[in-house]
Every structure is written in structure tokens, then in C-alpha cells.
Amino acid sequence: MPVPDPVAAEGKGHTVVEDAPLEGRNTFRVKARAHLLVDVRHADALPELFAQPALQSLPLLVLGEGSNLLFAGDWPGVVLAIAARGIRVLEEDDTGALVRVEAGENWDDVVRWSIGHGYAGLENLVMIPGTVGAAPIQNIGAYGVEVREFVHTVEAWDRTQSRLVRLDNAACAFGYRDSLFKQDPGRWIVTAVEFLLPRRREPRLGYAGIAEELAAIGMATNGDGGPTPLAIAEAISRLRTRKLPNPALIGNAGSFFKNPVVDADTAERLAATHPRLPQWAADDGLRKLSAAWLIEQAGFKGYRDGDAGISDQHALVLVNHGRASGADLLRVARHVATGVHARFGVKLEPEPRIVGASR
Ligand code: FAD
Ligand code: EPU
């Protein structure tokens, strides 16, 4: 069936496209269409937009750079992307600053801005794809740091109350790859995040590989003899580039499954039979297991079914070798989760949000 040309319309602070293709807006690069795609340039366009009956009645999906989404099919409602940009220092003293960043900024640009302006802390989160607006949704984390450590306030449009709200760190209920926002998709549209960025911070170097990589690049030092945030960012960029497949070359959304969090008894039982299974301490005395290890040991690293598969570079990454549909990718993901459960009795949960009706 021929696909009709998209129809574009300009509104105050936003653009609307009907029946819009989303293939270029998700890092899996799967084909999907949105009934309406709305690009919002200024967050102050939101009240007027949501006053329109169509936007109230249709299902809403907020889209950043599409690096943590799997379109299992078309989106029958509104896809809304916040393009608002800007980084502004609100308050500053010798110890650090409160910095407001609009939701449409690219996360990695903000990390590099913070390093360039002499702040410390975000360097471990270098090279995570996506927007600032999406960062609090799953409380992005990498190399021993999570964004919740820096979030002071999240500003969001609350569709339930039809108004802009400000949520402090505690109200965001951050957890491992989790938050208030992730628990209630469709309710919140993050418009800006305010970060507390310190000038000095104890470098976080405990994650496997960081120290070795720093040594390999001849570790730049700060006044105390420790590595600078810039050196840490460089070391982690090198690790990430080596470990993870590049979405510009092969469609993927980073880790497809969360690392399973289990109670201490279960972890010990598994350690007794699988002593090489990597485990880490998690919140509340729980233990986090390496999903990548479980998947690799279950024999799925490099697995392929048509164009959908598991990366041969990293076992936690579901990949689109070319023309896989969202449904093809989902089928492989389910097959892998079933295989891991059968072998180890451990359940794997997807990390990215799975959206759209299956074709
Ligand atoms: P999208 O994929 O567009 O959206 C993700 C979710 O957030 C959706 O539910 C969406 O509705 C919601 N959302 C997006 N913007 C808003 C908003 N403004 N308001 C409300 N809801 C919103 N993640 C990590 O935590 N650590 C990593 O190390 C990491 N590495 C990755 C490596 C690769 C190669 C890739 C492809 C992904 C990786 N990810 C990682 C996942 C991804 O980068 C993050 O989840 C990122 O925050 C997603 O940003 P996005 O703008 O692409 O969001
Ligand atoms: N491993 C394997 N096989 C593999 C890859 C890894 O057995 O193919 C084992 C290794 O023993 C390795 C361990 O898994 O030591 C951990 O691997 P890695 O350091 O790559 O981290 P991860 O647990 O697989 C998590 C996050 C990543 C984040 C890295 C670094 C989740 C779901 N994933 O991956 O986040 O970048 O740690 O902190 O927590 C993402 O969320 O999209 C993401 C990429």
C-alpha cells in the first residue's frame, strides 16, 4: 500500500506532521509511523497544545532521540518531541553551581559543557546517547555513577494536572534504571532539568576497566594527583567505543535488558553453581547480576534470526542488522529471555520502552 506524503503544519512554537515516518528517529532504525508527530521548540507552547481536544484524547508518546525505545509497530496517537535547547547557570559559588538545561539538549553535549566549565561528576556518564529530558526517565547510569546524584529539580508538564510542576530529587523516586516518570508513561513531559554540579568531587574509578584505561592513556592529573574529569571521560569513551556497537553503524538501543536484581539467597545459590557470574551490590541489600554474562553463557552472543539478533560485540545488545522490524527484534528478545530463564531460572526484563502495536 503506498504511504501518503506527510502533511506538515506550523503552530506557535511547534510543528505538526501527520502520518510521520519514525525510522530516522529511533536508534534501532526500525520502520514505524506516528499518526501525528509534534516537534515542540519552546516548552511554553505546551499549554496551548494540550488545550486542543485531539491532543487530549489521543495516546501520547514523548520522544527524545529514540535511543531507548523499540517501536513494535506504528504509534496510533501523538508523538511529541521537545526540541527546546539551552544551558544556563542559575546560581554559583566556589563549591559548584545550579545549572538549568532544557529538555532538548543532547546529554553528551551537556557532559562536555560541564567538563569544559570546570565542574566534576558527570564525566562517568560521557557518551550516553539521548536528550537531557530523557535522562531522569530511567535515571541513566554508567561506570559507577547515576544521574540522580546530580539532579536537583525536574521541571515537567503534568498531563494529569494540566500544569507545569517542579519535582525535587526525592519526589522523582529514582532507582536503578527507574523513576516516577518511567512508572507512569504518558503522564509527564520533562521540559527542563536543574543539576547541582560540584567544582570538586572524589573521582569514581572503581568500575572495572577505568583504572587500566587511564593508565593506558597516561592519566592526566589534577592538583591532588588524581585524574581530571577530562581524563576520566576520555578513558570511559575509549571503553565504551570498544565495548558497545555504534548505533550509527548497526541499529541498537544499548543494553536491551536490565541487569537482574535478586535477593542475597538467590545470588548466593547462583554463585555456588556459577562462580564466574559477575555480581554487584544493589540497593536494600539486594544483588545485581550481569545479564550480559547470563546471555552469553546461554549461547546467544552473536545469535541471529534474519536481520534481528544479539550483538557479537556485547551480549546485552539487541541489534538490527538491516531490515528487522520491531516485531522481529521483540521475537529475538523473547527467545533470549526464555533461554536464559530455562538455563539459570533468572528473569530478564527489557530496559527500553516497547511501544506501538505489533504489525
Ligand atoms: P528516548 O529513547 O526517545 O525515550 C526513552 C524514554 O524516555 C521513553 O519512555 C520516552 O517516552 C521517555 N522520554 C524521552 N524524553 C522525554 C521527556 N522530555 N519527557 C518525558 N519522557 C521522555 N542508558 C544508560 O542509562 N546508560 C548507558 O550507558 C547507556 N548506553 C547506551 C548506549 C547506546 C549505544 C544506546 C543506543 C543507548 C544507551 N543507553 C544508555 C540508553 C539511552 O541512551 C538512554 O536511556 C537515554 O536517556 C535515552 O534518551 P532519548 O532522548 O534517546 O530517549
Ligand atoms: N559480559 C559478558 N559478555 C559480554 C559483555 C559483558 O559476559 O558480551 C560481562 C563481563 O563479565 C563484564 C560484565 O558483563 O564484566 C559487565 O559488562 P559491562 O561493563 O559492559 O556492563 P553491563 O552490565 O553489561 C551496564 C549498563 C550499561 C552501562 C555499563 C557500564 C545496564 C542494563 N547496562 O552494562 O548501560 O553502560 O553497565 O556502566 O545496567 C544501557 O543502559 O543501555 C547501557 C549501555
Side-chain angles (χ1 to χ4, degrees), residues 96-111:
L98 181 63
V99 179
R100 178 185 165 96
V101 187
E102 303 305 314
E105 281 290 341
N106 172 268
W107 173 256
D108 189 55
D109 288 349
V110 173
V111 173

Side-chain angles (χ1 to χ4, degrees), residues 20 46 49 55-56 68 117 122 125-126 131 183-184 207 213-214 216 229 241 256 259 269 292 300 310 352:
L46 290 176
L49 260 176
L55 261 86
Q56 285 164 5
N68 211 31
H117 286 75
L122 297 188
L125 303 179
V126 71
T131 54
Q183 289 302 325
D184 205 349
Y207 198 93
E213 204 62 41
L214 279 166
T241 304
F256 189 80
N259 283 325
R269 223 173 31 248
F300 292 112
I310 295 294

Side-chain angles (χ1 to χ4, degrees), residues 259-260 270-271 273-280 289-301 314-316 340 343-344 346 348:
N259 283 325
L270 282 162
T273 39
H274 308 289
R276 299 172 77 90
L277 164 60
Q279 301 195 6
W280 305 274
L289 312 176
S290 164
W293 189 92
L294 295 168
I295 293 169
E296 179 166 352
Q297 296 307 311
F300 292 112
K301 192 166 180 173
H314 198 299
L316 200 42
V340 165
R343 171 89 195 271
F344 298 103
V346 176
L348 294 181

Side-chain angles (χ1 to χ4, degrees), residues 283-317:
D283 292 345
D284 307 323
L286 299 171
R287 307 279 304 166
K288 203 190 274 178
L289 312 176
S290 164
W293 189 92
L294 295 168
I295 293 169
E296 179 166 352
Q297 296 307 311
F300 292 112
K301 192 166 180 173
Y303 171 82
R304 189 165 173 171
D305 177 2
D307 271 354
I310 295 294
S311 168
D312 56 11
Q313 199 178 339
H314 198 299
L316 200 42
V317 183

Side-chain angles (χ1 to χ4, degrees), residues 67-321:
S67 65
N68 211 31
L69 279 173
L70 175 58
F71 284 104
D74 296 333
W75 183 257
V78 177
V79 171
L80 185 141
I82 307 265
R85 309 293 287 250
I87 305 179
R88 197 151 49 92
V89 176
L90 301 177
E91 291 168 27
E92 191 169 23
D93 64 20
D94 292 348
T95 63
L98 181 63
V99 179
R100 178 185 165 96
V101 187
E102 303 305 314
E105 281 290 341
N106 172 268
W107 173 256
D108 189 55
D109 288 349
V110 173
V111 173
R112 290 176 198 280
W113 177 94
S114 78
I115 295 171
H117 286 75
Y119 302 109
L122 297 188
E123 58 276 6
N124 292 50
L125 303 179
V126 71
M127 264 185 90
I128 298 180
T131 54
V132 165
I137 306 304
Q138 74 154 4
N139 174 30
I140 54 170
Y143 292 88
V145 171
E146 289 182 335
V147 77
R148 66 169 149 187
E149 297 171 49
F150 304 94
V151 172
H152 179 272
T153 303
V154 173
E155 183 192 87
W157 178 264
D158 177 0
R159 292 184 76 213
T160 305
Q161 302 181 61
S162 293
R163 68 181 181 94
L164 214 52
V165 296
R166 289 172 58 78
L167 298 156
D168 67 15
N169 184 296
C172 296
F174 290 123
Y176 165 61
R177 298 293 190 270
D178 200 14
S179 72
L180 172 80
F181 315 106
K182 195 167 179 182
Q183 289 302 325
D184 205 349
R187 174 168 176 182
W188 310 97
I189 301 163
V190 173
T191 50
V193 183
E194 291 171 12
F195 298 98
L196 262 182
L197 301 180
R199 281 276 173 212
R200 301 183 73 77
R201 192 172 187 263
E202 192 61 34
R204 198 76 62 80
L205 306 176
Y207 198 93
I210 301 180
E212 293 79 355
E213 204 62 41
L214 279 166
I217 58 173
M219 188 171 97
T221 57
N222 62 17
D224 303 329
T228 60
L230 185 60
I232 296 169
E234 168 65 11
I236 290 174
S237 299
R238 286 165 55 114
L239 281 170
R240 292 186 66 101
T241 304
R242 219 165 41 232
K243 280 192 191 179
L244 291 170
N246 180 352
L249 304 176
I250 183 163
N252 76 84
S255 303
F256 189 80
F257 297 104
K258 291 192 271 188
N259 283 325
V261 177
V262 299
D263 59 49
D265 285 352
T266 308
E268 272 168 36
R269 223 173 31 248
L270 282 162
T273 39
H274 308 289
R276 299 172 77 90
L277 164 60
Q279 301 195 6
W280 305 274
D283 292 345
D284 307 323
L286 299 171
R287 307 279 304 166
K288 203 190 274 178
L289 312 176
S290 164
W293 189 92
L294 295 168
I295 293 169
E296 179 166 352
Q297 296 307 311
F300 292 112
K301 192 166 180 173
Y303 171 82
R304 189 165 173 171
D305 177 2
D307 271 354
I310 295 294
S311 168
D312 56 11
Q313 199 178 339
H314 198 299
L316 200 42
V317 183
L318 185 68
V319 288
N320 178 4
H321 288 280

